[in-house]
Amino acid sequence: MELHDVWFVLIAVLWTGYFFLEGFDFGVGVLTKLLARDRKERRVLINTIGPVWDGNEVWLLTAGGATFAAFPEWYATLFSGFYLPLLLILVCLIVRGVAFEYRAKRPEEKWQTNWEHAIFWTSLLPALLWGVAFGNIVRGVKIDAEMEYVGSLGDLVNVYSVLGGLVTLTLFTFHGAVFTALKTVGDIRDRSRRLATSLGLVTAVLALVFLVWTQVSRGDGKSFVAVIVAVLALVAALGFNMVGREGWAFALSGVTIAAVVAMLFLTLFPNVMPSSLNEEWNLTVANASSSPYTLKIMTWCAAVATPIVLLYQGWTYWVFRKRIGTQHIADAH
Amino acid sequence: MDLALAPETLARWQFGITTVYHFLFVPLTISLAALTAGLQTAWVRTENDKYLRATKFWGKLFLINIAMGVVTGIVQEFQFGMNWSDYSRFVGDIFGAPLAFEALIAFFFESTFIGLWIFGWDKLPKKIHLACMWMVSIGTVLSAYFILAANSWMQHPVGYRINEERGRAELTDFWLVLTQNTALTQFFHTMTAAFLVGGAFMAGISAFHLARRKHIPVMRMSLRVGLVTVVLAGALTAVSGDLLGKVMFKQQPMKMAAAEALWDGEAPAPFSIFAYGDVDAGHNKVAIEIPGLLSFLANDDFTSYVPGINDVNKAEQEAFGPGDYRPNIPVAYWGFRWMIGFGMASFGIGLLGLWLTRRKFLLPPGLRTGDDEAPRLVLFRNKALSPRFTKWYWIVALWTMAFPLIANSWGWIFTEMGRQPWVVYGVLRTRDAVSPGVSQGEVIISMTVFTLLYAVLAVIEVRLLLKYVKAGPPELTESDLNPPTRIGGDDKDADRPMAFSY
């Protein structure tokens, strides 16, 4: 296995980490409107991710930085090509981060309501847009011989990519509902579980169509295994959720996300961004990667740092392991 | 294409706006993280309540500020690919590595431990909770180091070779990129300047409360911490600035010649106090100068030769082909002066404050005040300042909060604009670095969106800061004084409201 193949896998791992962790953050953001009945319940939901959302978001920055370092051509083509959708995602991430931190800093009703609207929309939009973006990457976009994206904004909106977006949106919301069922107590926990069941069924239908479509058009044996894993894990997550085994349900909704990401990356390989104009112009792990020396340094860094990151992020989840309910939210502000 | 709307010009404006904006929050974050950690350490060691109240007060302001620092930083990570794709292709092999290191080593660190610190007051034993704040502080410093190493490579590329076949620069020595003198001096200078910001912030806000005779024990102590930070950081900023200047004279003579509006090389070369000139003709019409000082700043020797703008321009034309290799001279010249002027002013005001509020043993007994009284400002041995001058000092100290921020911004504008027309000095020109596939319209949209969004958020942030500054340090509660003894919180507190919730 060459180093640029290793880095393809590592970048897939970083995106998996991002979607696993930020997936339920986005889901919780969407649930603040779907699930919570009043402000206090909304605050319970927001506080389930309070101490961890910032660290979860760094997985995206790391995936971006690692792509820049390991596959500069990919980084350049992707972010200059998907310019306006990325701009929208960035605006959402900016507003969302500020919304979490500032919402409770003033007591006024209007102030808090505005930030709560912001949390909902800035969680929903990136959850949708990341799926659209990955749908387009897998499907192939108009890339010319100079590795430049030459399509328009409209080219990024098509049935397949929008379906991809709906899959990530529903999957993340399901993942979020399973997460809040795991992290809360009382009435809100029961409602989370019930909502997770219906969200899971919608997700299952959409994901099945999307995965079969992807498998039929560009899959192979390995990606088929990923499809099977994704479907089984989703069904099992639904089952565990219904019988109230929330830890298992959450782990398995995470496995579903990992399997979907794995499926997408498996169908990409050895390309990183195929061209829909001419196969000769595909960006591949070979023609988009950095030099062996850079990849070697980066491999050392990732090999040393990643386990440590997992260790202390895992510890954070352990520190805040207790479930929370409305009684844990102070009345002030 | 009209230069004002050329993709290069638009992309430069956008990068300038977003980066200057980001760097308003960064230095305050770096310094307040360390200062808050220091105050919390003082509380853990002495168990004196005033340190805990100070930790909570400055910590709250720190959190309001870091939220903006984090979200404006996200944009920076992707902007290279969006607007500068040809740059990203050309230098990604080198430039991407410190960015990825920064994310893996520093961003994870600070973002994870900040969550633990914010929510950990009733979940972590106090020493572990304190360690979390130090981790945040270390994370901010590491992050600055990696990103400055990346920037320094653009100022002075080392440890690379040009791969003609792939049409890009490739890394050959990463250690050199991380340890070259440009990176080390730039890091030193940026850190000291960051602490100048934090020190002035603390001193200014303490002055505001002391002038009103409010929250005296906490603010009296904070004033001292702030002033000492200002003076130490100010002195070190001057030292590091001199070191960085000497590095720049060797590596980027054009930048330093532009900083001094020195058109033609001279030996000895004078330091310019004020100049007004004609850029097209390449000379000054008015020049007030100190003879020999520039030679000394450049080479530690009052008589040595320093090349001028016209000389360097000619040399670069011979080396890189025809073209204009001069940066925007007025921006470089005045940027350099505003940086030094505002930086030194805050240092001077800090030094004066430290003397005016000097320790008890340097004061006659009649002018000494207790820890719960506002300090008397004493300029000469036996005489306190009149109420009017006292009031003026507090007002000046309050406004001085802004000075290091202005100095920091101008310092970066000078550094970055002084390097034009190069994006990687001597290797890649800015106009060859923009994204060829991104349209004018797209850049205009993103620039407008970022500018408006940032402006709105800035107003919101400043108003929040004002609200919490005016509120002063919080009263301590039962749970503040009884931190948990086990990780995850004590069982007896299981149904109590959380010490902090969003």
Side-chain angles (χ1 to χ4, degrees):
Chain A
M1 203 165 173
E2 285 197 55
L3 271 184
H4 55 232
D5 298 336
V6 173
W7 269 93
F8 183 81
V9 175
L10 283 174
I11 283 173
V13 169
L14 289 171
W15 280 105
T16 307
Y18 176 61
F19 287 142
F20 181 100
L21 294 169
E22 189 95 315
F24 62 75
D25 292 352
F26 288 142
V28 168
V30 174
L31 291 174
T32 54
K33 284 243 189 292
L34 294 190
L35 183 66
R37 286 194 177 136
D38 55 31
R39 167 145 303 140
K40 202 151 216 183
E41 288 196 355
R42 266 196 293 284
R43 291 186 59 198
V44 171
L45 293 179
I46 294 170
N47 280 289
T48 59
I49 56 168
V52 293
W53 71 269
D54 195 1
N56 294 346
E57 197 168 272
V58 172
W59 285 84
L60 170 67
L61 298 186
T62 309
T67 311
F68 197 173
F71 299 102
E73 308 280 358
W74 187 11
Y75 173 82
T77 307
L78 177 61
F79 294 126
S80 64
F82 294 7
Y83 193 90
L84 292 177
L86 185 68
L87 175 68
L88 186 53
I89 291 176
L90 289 178
V91 168
C92 286
L93 296 184
I94 291 172
V95 175
R96 187 165 170 271
V98 175
F100 283 138
E101 295 295 339
Y102 287 3
R103 194 202 62 83
K105 293 273 187 284
R106 277 184 181 281
E108 294 90 344
E109 181 84 17
K110 177 103 174 120
W111 167 274
Q112 302 203 348
T113 312
N114 285 344
W115 287 120
E116 284 160 14
H117 288 309
I119 288 172
F120 172 75
W121 286 107
T122 57
S123 298
L124 185 141
L125 284 172
L128 180 79
L129 288 171
W130 280 125
V132 176
F134 270 89
N136 278 307
I137 293 173
V138 169
R139 181 174 178 262
V141 288
K142 291 177 182 165
I143 293 173
D144 69 6
E146 305 293 310
M147 296 187 173
E148 284 297 330
Y149 176 75
V150 290
S152 66
L153 182 59
D155 290 336
L156 299 178
V157 183
N158 50 70
V159 180
Y160 179 76
S161 68
V162 172
L163 180 62
L166 291 174
V167 170
T168 49
L169 176 59
T170 51
L171 182 55
F172 292 164
T173 313
F174 168 65
H175 191 46
V178 178
F179 177 77
T180 53
L182 177 65
K183 289 295 293 176
T184 55
V185 284
D187 184 39
I188 196 162
R189 173 183 176 186
D190 301 330
R191 275 186 286 129
S192 293
R193 275 179 46 207
R194 284 204 294 278
L195 187 60
T197 305
S198 32
L199 283 168
L201 291 171
V202 178
T203 309
V205 173
L206 289 168
L208 195 64
V209 177
F210 180 73
L211 290 173
V212 169
W213 188 344
T214 312
Q215 176 64 27
V216 169
S217 51
R218 37 185 83 73
D220 60 9
K222 282 181 199 158
S223 66
F224 187 65
V225 175
V227 174
I228 299 295
V229 172
V231 172
L232 288 180
L234 185 56
V235 171
L238 263 169
F240 278 114
N241 177 61
M242 279 194 246
V243 297
R245 300 295 299 270
E246 287 141 353
W248 280 102
F250 175 68
L252 284 158
S253 66
V255 172
T256 313
I257 289 176
V260 171
V261 178
M263 159 81 184
L264 294 175
F265 276 83
L266 281 169
T267 51
L268 262 182
F269 189 80
N271 296 320
V272 292
M273 256 187 116
S275 168
S276 59
L277 299 176
N278 185 338
E279 274 188 33
E280 300 279 302
W281 299 340
N282 288 354
L283 271 71
T284 67
V285 288
N287 72 14
S289 69
S290 289
S291 63
Y293 174 73
T294 298
L295 292 177
K296 197 174 88 184
I297 287 173
M298 296 288 302
T299 309
W300 275 108
C301 178
V304 174
T306 317
I308 299 174
V309 170
L310 288 173
L311 216 62
Y312 64 68
Q313 284 207 331
W315 185 70
T316 308
Y317 281 88
W318 187 72
V319 169
F320 298 104
R321 64 194 176 277
K322 286 182 184 151
R323 291 173 180 269
I324 58 171
T326 41
Q327 72 270 29
H328 295 110
I329 306 292
D331 282 318
H333 63 240
Chain B
M1 191 179 291
D2 183 12
L3 189 63
L5 286 177
E8 176 204 347
T9 316
L10 290 171
R12 277 181 62 188
W13 270 106
Q14 173 165 341
F15 203 94
I17 291 167
T18 52
T19 310
V20 167
Y21 195 84
H22 180 54
F23 207 72
L24 289 176
F25 306 106
V26 170
L28 194 55
T29 300
I30 292 172
S31 49
L32 270 189
L35 291 168
T36 307
L39 290 167
Q40 193 174 350
T41 309
W43 173 62
V44 170
R45 291 179 64 106
T46 65
E47 301 209 321
N48 184 335
D49 290 353
K50 78 176 172 189
Y51 292 116
L52 180 57
R53 292 183 67 206
T55 305
K56 295 219 155 197
F57 177 69
W58 298 109
K60 176 89 88 186
L61 301 182
F62 163 73
L63 292 177
I64 291 171
N65 180 70
I66 196 179
M68 293 294 290
V70 167
V71 297
T72 54
I74 299 174
V75 175
Q76 304 298 89
E77 188 83 17
F78 296 99
Q79 210 172 174
F80 300 106
M82 290 171 78
N83 281 345
W84 304 94
S85 68
D86 274 359
Y87 166 81
S88 305
R89 291 176 205 284
F90 190 80
V91 306
D93 196 76
I94 303 153
F95 193 80
L99 252 62
F101 271 61
E102 183 188 22
L104 267 168
I105 296 171
F107 288 166
F108 270 128
F109 221 67
E110 50 182 327
S111 62
T112 308
F113 285 103
I114 191 87
L116 281 158
W117 191 76
I118 300 175
F119 284 85
W121 287 98
D122 58 348
K123 298 282 187 289
L124 293 169
K126 65 179 178 183
K127 284 190 180 162
I128 298 180
H129 187 245
L130 169 63
C132 290
M133 195 59 198
W134 279 113
M135 297 289 206
V136 173
S137 172
I138 293 168
T140 59
V141 173
L142 279 175
S143 156
Y145 173 69
F146 283 117
I147 201 64
L148 289 171
N151 178 273
S152 299
W153 187 84
M154 298 165 75
Q155 309 283 351
H156 183 244
V158 290
Y160 74 104
R161 69 188 174 92
I162 299 292
N163 180 336
E164 295 290 348
E165 194 191 334
R166 296 282 300 255
R168 70 181 185 189
E170 289 184 351
L171 189 59
T172 56
D173 188 347
F174 189 54
W175 184 244
L176 191 58
V177 172
L178 290 182
T179 58
Q180 66 153 327
N181 60 358
T182 325
L184 298 178
T185 44
Q186 193 155 258
F187 174 67
F188 182 23
H189 192 52
T190 311
M191 280 301 112
T192 52
F195 275 87
L196 192 55
V197 174
F201 185 78
M202 249 172 126
I205 290 171
S206 306
F208 170 81
H209 284 296
L210 289 174
R212 280 161 188 69
R213 299 278 187 277
K214 282 191 176 151
H215 315 293
I216 289 172
V218 173
M219 290 304 161
R220 193 184 158 114
M221 179 269 297
S222 299
L223 178 76
R224 190 131 203 110
V225 173
L227 289 174
V228 168
T229 308
V230 166
V231 170
L232 283 178
L236 288 172
T237 307
V239 171
S240 57
D242 181 53
L243 286 175
L244 185 57
K246 288 186 181 18
V247 170
M248 283 295 133
F249 272 110
K250 288 195 182 62
Q251 295 173 351
Q252 293 183 24
M254 177 60 95
K255 183 187 280 180
M256 299 315 289
E260 286 301 320
L262 179 73
W263 293 96
D264 298 302
E266 283 178 56
F271 181 88
S272 171
I273 308 261
F274 178 85
Y276 176 75
D278 183 339
V279 173
D280 291 329
H283 67 79
N284 287 331
K285 289 176 181 159
V286 185
I288 304 169
E289 297 166 333
I290 304 175
L293 186 56
L294 188 60
S295 296
F296 180 76
L297 290 180
N299 303 312
D300 277 336
D301 166 5
F302 282 100
T303 54
S304 59
Y305 174 80
V306 177
I309 297 164
N310 297 332
D311 311 301
V312 186
N313 200 23
K314 201 188 274 174
E316 293 204 0
Q317 279 164 350
E318 276 160 24
F320 305 111
D324 187 356
Y325 293 90
R326 300 175 303 174
N328 183 321
I329 311 279
V331 168
Y333 181 84
W334 288 109
F336 193 60
R337 265 146 202 78
W338 290 131
M339 169 183 79
I340 295 175
F342 278 104
M344 284 293 116
S346 37
F347 170 71
I349 292 162
L351 200 60
L352 175 65
L354 209 52
W355 173 250
L356 291 173
T357 60
R358 59 194 176 273
R359 289 270 188 203
K360 282 178 197 157
F361 65 86
L362 288 168
L363 290 171
L367 294 174
R368 294 175 190 173
T369 48
D371 280 343
D372 48 357
E373 292 173 84
R376 271 204 196 98
L377 301 185
V378 184
L379 185 57
F380 301 112
R381 224 184 118 55
N382 281 317
K383 187 158 165 35
L385 287 186
S386 69
R388 191 206 288 175
F389 281 112
T390 300
K391 191 177 139 205
W392 268 108
Y393 180 77
W394 294 135
I395 292 174
V396 169
L398 180 62
W399 282 102
T400 305
M401 278 167 62
F403 291 2
L405 283 176
I406 299 171
N408 271 284
S409 298
W410 277 112
W412 271 110
I413 291 168
F414 162 63
T415 300
E416 297 298 287
M417 288 188 68
R419 183 191 45 188
Q420 300 302 327
W422 298 103
V423 65
V424 180
Y425 195 73
V427 178
L428 183 70
R429 263 169 267 209
T430 309
R431 65 159 189 263
D432 299 325
V434 292
S435 301
V438 172
S439 71
Q440 241 178 342
E442 286 174 316
V443 186
I444 291 174
I445 290 172
S446 67
M447 189 160 80
T448 316
V449 166
F450 282 132
T451 309
L452 289 178
L453 179 64
Y454 281 4
V456 170
L457 291 178
V459 173
I460 292 173
E461 199 228 350
V462 170
R463 289 169 72 168
L464 266 188
L465 280 178
L466 278 176
K467 174 186 149 97
Y468 281 93
V469 164
K470 281 185 190 151
E475 293 304 324
L476 297 178
T477 63
E478 189 64 19
S479 65
D480 289 331
L481 296 168
N482 296 298
T485 53
R486 44 181 285 190
I487 294 168
D490 294 333
D491 287 335
K492 66 177 165 54
D493 300 330
D495 278 325
R496 282 233 300 240
M498 300 189 287
F500 179 89
S501 54
Y502 274 140

